[in-house]
Amino acid sequence: MEPMNTLRKYIYLFYSEWGSSLWIISFALSLIFSACTNEDKSQNKTQRPNVIFIMSDDHTSQAVSAYGGRLSKISPTSNIDRLADEGMLFKNCFVTNSICTPSRAAIMTGKYAHKNGVYKFTALDQTQPTLPKVMQADGYQTAFVGKYHLHSNPVGLDYFSILPGQGDYHNPEFIEKGNEHLSGWVQQGEKIQYEGHSSDIIATKALDFLENEISDDQPFMLFCHFKAPHDTWDYAARYEDFLADVEIPEPDNLFDDYEGRSDALKTQLQFIGSKWGDHTNFEEQTADLKGKAKREKQYQLYMKKYLRCVRGVDDNVGRILDYLDESGLAENTIVMYTGDQGFYLGEHGLYDKRFMYEEGLRMPFLVRWPGEVEQGSTSDGMILNVDFAPTILEAVGLPALEGTQGKSFVPLLSGDIPTDWRTSMYYRYYYSHFETEPHFGIRTYDHKLIYYDKIDQWEFYDLNKDRAEMINQYNNPAHQRIVSDLKEELSSLQIDLEDDPKDDGSNPNIGVLTARPLFQTLDVSLGLQDISVLMKFRTKVGGTLFSKCRIGDIPWSVDFELNGIKTLFLREGDLIFNDGWDDDTELRIAQNMADGQLHTVAMIVDNGVVNFYVDGKLKLTGTKLLSEDNAKHTFNIGAGIDFTGYQGYNFIGEISSCLVYNKSLNEKEVREFNKGSISSDKQILNWQN
Ligand code: CA
């Protein structure tokens, strides 16, 4: 194989010395050599390095045995640990906003939420520079398999096969390149179902890319993102017996009573046992228990499911690493492993993420780069998820993304920490769900200061003496000097990063997929009272006709629970009304409506009964349909909730009119609207496009 390496190098030099006008010769030469290519892909090492970025959803460092800790013996991750044995483990890798979509957006853009627009679960604006886009533009073959969760159609990828939204654990559907939906919302794309467990399928897709799709003349960047171990923690059947007879060690603060801490910990709903009911049967299994015994049992149930999912990920990481060894690709491939944030495994009595405490803040991060990173090395250097993109780009010889706020930590890979490296980091979480108060704060090597801005409460921890963050020392006079210094540093980080403390993410107005209504008003109160809404439209695709919600909000927030969503939309030709946010609350009014013809729809609420007319004919009658309304929520024409696109993407087509009356129209009046004439008595909205 050696001669081929030399010749390929020659092609590369030839190409770069003489420019692209010689591409035909290069192409012809590479065709000759690719004909000689077989299973041994080690010739690849003369190119710039390949990159495989493996990320598992909610996989926290306490459940990676290379980090040690109470679970490392009973639940070893021996395959992931190989990356630490053969590369470097970072002890202080932190997330800038501990929740899935925002962390993924930060990784792709190298920017904080307030700069990339993804504060909560909004779609990533793909017009901004992203890691895959610039790598693809510079000659990398880019691929993505697994959980994407950025909501907008992927850009900058030569190949992708991704889960829609959260995706399913068992027999999941995937959306593949070429099947994107015109609306721009990834979740609307055409789906293909695969049999098996998501972790196995995602690894198989990664292997399929490596075995069959990689180009002989381009280096590649592969993102392999596992859905596991995100809740609902559904593991593959073969792990049923794993840990079955093992008592999982508890963290010392499983029964944290939150004494001395802010109200944020006392009012949150992500403590063990709080919201299990939605997606586990833990509540049923512990129905006969109370108090401490109940939490102990629920902790065991939770951890076993979580760790079985982790085992599935680890085994599949092993399959990928084995293939890299067998194929010879390992030598010239940088492999990174991380989780999209930290996660609580019972610490502070919590599960899930969001809070800035250590277990939620810290991400596992391991990197193997043969020849460049010393085997078995570790770094205490403080690195962040916004650093990943600049680091990968420097490693492959590219400049940082435009507007990036992260720093390349390539200099740390030698084992040194440069003297000018950061000694503090800025964190900010924006409210979404589980009643976790928004907060921002600063962590240094020794201390942490957290500010819950909506309730104006502070917490301060001395990490050297109180690693578990049990004693809030904010009011301790002995620490007033350091607290005041940290406040100053926190402000200067906000200034440097251009984050306005008042920008709470409630009005993300970034990007093509931010829901942009054709018209918006607060005048329409759509609840149980008599009302009539009439609309005229034409489409070949679909989208939202109207929505009654605050744009940018998310469906499981308190506001939605109180007020419902109320969306009228077309999906795959079906005209649907939904007063909630999932399939259960959907009412299908009519079919085949995306035919490019002009249609009318009328929604008449009369004494709590709702009638839907399509093209003047009664199609559906419902009772107890509408929840109470809150007039604070806006009525949007042509745009829905800015979430997954599931029922929220902007209308693609023409909405020509929308009339609203605060009375119930009769059938005759609906037919008049259909014909084009209608009285204006009690009309509260007459919108013509
Ligand atoms: Ca996550």
Side-chain angles (χ1 to χ4, degrees):
M1 285 292 124
E2 199 47 41
M4 215 148 73
N5 288 339
T6 314
L7 281 163
R8 191 168 292 277
K9 191 171 185 178
Y10 173 68
I11 293 169
Y12 182 71
L13 289 172
F14 190 62
Y15 199 92
S16 45
E17 292 269 308
W18 296 93
S20 58
S21 61
L22 296 170
W23 70 271
I24 297 173
I25 302 166
S26 314
F27 182 64
L29 284 170
S30 57
L31 273 186
I32 295 165
F33 299 118
S34 56
C36 309
T37 308
N38 55 28
E39 283 306 297
D40 185 351
K41 300 182 187 237
S42 58
Q43 76 282 354
N44 225 309
K45 72 184 171 191
T46 54
Q47 295 179 336
R48 291 183 290 168
N50 306 305
V51 183
I52 301 182
F53 183 84
I54 308 174
M55 185 157 85
S56 301
D57 200 340
D58 294 354
H59 193 187
T60 186
S61 62
Q62 309 97 285
V64 176
S65 51
Y67 281 84
R70 71 184 195 276
L71 305 169
S72 57
K73 290 275 191 306
I74 61 156
S75 179
T77 49
S78 48
N79 292 296
I80 295 167
D81 289 5
R82 276 172 60 187
L83 297 174
D85 297 341
E86 297 161 13
M88 180 175 268
L89 175 146
F90 279 84
K91 294 179 182 170
N92 290 311
C93 178
F94 301 124
V95 68
T96 50
N97 180 359
S98 185
I99 195 154
C100 310
T101 302
S103 176
R104 288 154 195 268
I107 290 168
M108 286 300 193
T109 61
K111 294 186 285 199
Y112 274 74
H114 63 279
K115 287 291 181 184
N116 64 38
V118 183
Y119 300 80
K120 301 175 187 172
F121 290 96
T122 32
L124 177 67
D125 171 9
Q126 303 272 2
T127 62
Q128 59 193 316
T130 63
L131 178 61
K133 272 166 73 175
V134 298
M135 291 191 77
Q136 185 187 47
D138 199 65
Y140 266 77
Q141 186 188 14
T142 52
F144 194 115
V145 296
K147 184 168 173 182
Y148 189 66
H149 215 212
L150 290 165
H151 309 307
S152 46
N153 284 337
V155 176
L157 294 168
D158 295 309
Y159 172 95
F160 67 77
S161 185
I162 59 179
L163 294 167
Q166 297 283 5
D168 292 324
Y169 265 114
H170 296 293
N171 304 326
E173 292 180 322
F174 284 79
I175 296 165
E176 280 157 19
K177 191 172 166 88
N179 292 339
E180 299 99 317
H181 193 265
L182 195 63
S183 65
W185 288 99
V186 66
Q187 199 150 335
Q188 298 291 321
E190 193 185 322
K191 299 164 187 81
I192 302 167
Q193 194 172 19
Y194 289 78
E195 203 176 315
H197 188 271
S198 81
S199 298
D200 300 337
I201 297 166
I202 289 164
T204 300
K205 283 178 179 292
L207 290 170
D208 180 54
F209 171 76
L210 296 172
E211 284 175 43
N212 304 313
E213 303 291 336
I214 57 172
S215 157
D216 288 321
D217 10 76
Q218 283 176 286
F220 65 83
M221 161 97 216
L222 168 65
F223 298 87
C224 175
H225 289 200
F226 292 102
K227 168 184 170 58
H230 189 281
D231 74 20
T232 53
W233 314 298
D234 297 331
Y235 48 87
R238 64 180 180 276
Y239 300 111
E240 186 67 41
D241 294 335
F242 176 55
L243 299 170
D245 303 320
V246 176
E247 185 78 8
I248 313 293
E250 292 173 0
D252 294 338
N253 54 0
L254 180 63
F255 298 96
D256 189 350
D257 61 4
Y258 310 138
E259 196 195 332
R261 260 64 59 76
S262 72
D263 290 337
L265 270 170
K266 295 160 194 160
T267 56
Q268 50 79 23
L269 290 179
Q270 58 172 90
F271 57 89
I272 284 184
S274 51
K275 283 231 172 182
W276 293 134
D278 295 348
H279 41 242
T280 69
N281 56 0
F282 298 167
E283 219 28 74
E284 292 160 46
Q285 291 182 70
T286 55
D288 55 331
L289 298 172
K290 278 187 184 152
K292 194 164 180 275
K294 192 181 186 87
R295 177 167 289 190
E296 279 171 349
K297 181 74 193 293
Q298 291 198 342
Y299 169 78
Q300 293 295 323
L301 293 169
Y302 159 48
M303 288 305 298
K304 287 183 186 186
K305 288 192 86 170
Y306 182 92
L307 293 173
R308 286 169 190 162
C309 281
V310 167
R311 173 55 74 90
V313 168
D314 188 65
D315 286 344
N316 278 299
V317 168
R319 289 171 67 203
I320 295 169
L321 297 180
D322 287 347
Y323 178 75
L324 294 178
D325 289 344
E326 288 156 19
S327 63
L329 278 171
E331 254 181 281
N332 194 35
T333 300
I334 302 171
V335 182
M336 295 173 170
Y337 184 87
T338 189
D340 58 347
Q341 9 59 214
F343 209 71
Y344 298 95
L345 302 180
E347 299 88 1
H348 300 287
L350 302 173
Y351 77 103
D352 228 283
K353 46 236 179 188
R354 300 176 184 83
F355 281 112
M356 195 192 165
Y357 306 114
E358 288 296 274
E359 298 82 3
L361 185 67
R362 177 172 289 101
M363 306 166 85
F365 191 85
L366 305 94
V367 53
R368 183 179 79 179
W369 187 0
E372 298 287 336
V373 172
E374 195 187 331
Q375 297 200 354
S377 55
T378 60
S379 177
D380 291 320
M382 198 183 279
I383 62 167
L384 311 177
N385 60 346
V386 289
D387 298 336
F388 297 168
T391 302
I392 292 168
L393 291 171
E394 185 180 347
V396 305
L398 285 172
L401 294 166
E402 188 192 322
T404 193
Q405 296 179 299
K407 289 180 187 182
S408 163
F409 53 84
V410 165
L412 278 69
L413 296 177
S414 65
D416 298 328
I417 302 174
T419 49
D420 61 349
W421 193 252
R422 72 166 69 82
T423 53
S424 63
M425 63 83 58
Y426 177 61
Y427 178 86
R428 186 158 186 185
Y429 167 79
Y430 302 83
Y431 174 79
S432 58
H433 53 316
F434 289 89
E435 308 288 298
T436 303
E437 282 291 335
H439 53 290
F440 52 80
I442 179 172
R443 188 199 190 278
T444 64
Y445 282 105
D446 302 318
H447 302 105
K448 188 182 291 175
L449 182 70
I450 305 172
Y451 181 51
Y452 292 95
D453 54 317
K454 301 273 175 179
I455 54 173
D456 189 23
Q457 293 184 24
W458 295 84
E459 290 178 14
F460 168 77
Y461 298 99
D462 181 342
L463 298 175
N464 294 322
K465 291 186 183 145
D466 176 27
R467 194 68 168 185
E469 297 160 304
M470 297 295 285
I471 309 160
N472 177 15
Q473 306 258 23
Y474 181 73
N475 291 316
N476 182 344
H479 293 294
Q480 287 324 289
R481 178 67 187 269
I482 179 72
V483 166
S484 127
D485 288 351
L486 282 175
K487 281 187 179 176
E488 208 168 292
E489 196 171 340
L490 177 61
S491 294
S492 70
L493 280 174
Q494 286 178 322
I495 291 164
D496 290 350
L497 294 165
E498 299 178 336
D499 185 24
D500 177 354
K502 291 196 186 73
D503 174 11
D504 64 2
S506 57
N507 287 301
N509 191 21
I510 256 182
V512 285
L513 283 176
T514 302
R516 294 218 174 90
L518 294 166
F519 180 80
Q520 199 173 52
T521 179
L522 284 170
D523 295 339
V524 176
S525 179
L526 191 59
L528 291 163
Q529 76 283 13
D530 287 358
I531 195 162
S532 303
V533 181
L534 301 96
M535 298 186 83
K536 206 170 273 185
F537 64 91
R538 189 200 310 266
T539 182
K540 287 187 173 175
V541 183
T544 304
L545 285 163
F546 75 71
S547 59
K548 184 77 172 73
C549 62
R550 196 165 54 211
I551 298 281
D553 227 333
I554 66 158
W556 51 74
S557 69
V558 175
D559 285 344
F560 273 113
E561 282 168 13
L562 288 175
N563 305 310
I565 297 177
K566 304 178 184 72
T567 333
L568 183 67
F569 62 100
L570 275 98
R571 185 179 59 215
E572 290 163 12
D574 293 349
L575 180 63
I576 297 165
F577 180 77
N578 198 343
D579 190 27
W581 65 282
D582 55 24
D583 303 4
D584 301 346
T585 46
E586 275 185 8
L587 283 177
R588 197 168 67 172
I589 303 160
Q591 289 170 275
N592 304 319
M593 299 292 284
D595 56 2
Q597 304 297 311
L598 199 63
H599 292 289
T600 61
V601 57
M603 171 178 166
I604 315 292
V605 183
D606 182 10
N607 270 323
V609 177
V610 189
N611 289 315
F612 287 100
Y613 296 84
V614 173
D615 298 329
K617 292 188 189 102
L618 181 64
K619 283 282 186 183
L620 189 79
T621 297
T623 53
K624 294 182 185 170
L625 178 68
L626 294 171
S627 55
E628 290 291 342
D629 186 56
N630 182 330
K632 279 190 302 184
H633 278 196
T634 52
F635 179 83
N636 313 292
I637 298 176
I641 52 168
D642 191 3
F643 179 49
T644 62
Y646 165 65
Q647 57 184 6
Y649 63 85
N650 292 349
F651 194 80
I652 297 177
E654 173 200 345
I655 299 175
S656 51
S657 69
C658 178
L659 304 179
V660 182
Y661 295 80
N662 59 359
K663 63 172 183 177
S664 50
L665 297 183
N666 59 38
E667 200 162 339
K668 185 165 163 269
E669 287 169 308
V670 171
R671 282 202 301 273
E672 280 167 9
F673 171 71
N674 207 41
K675 281 187 234 152
S677 61
I678 193 160
S679 81
S680 58
D681 177 41
K682 291 197 175 179
Q683 211 171 65
I684 51 176
L685 176 67
N686 184 340
W687 178 82
Q688 307 290 332
N689 195 9

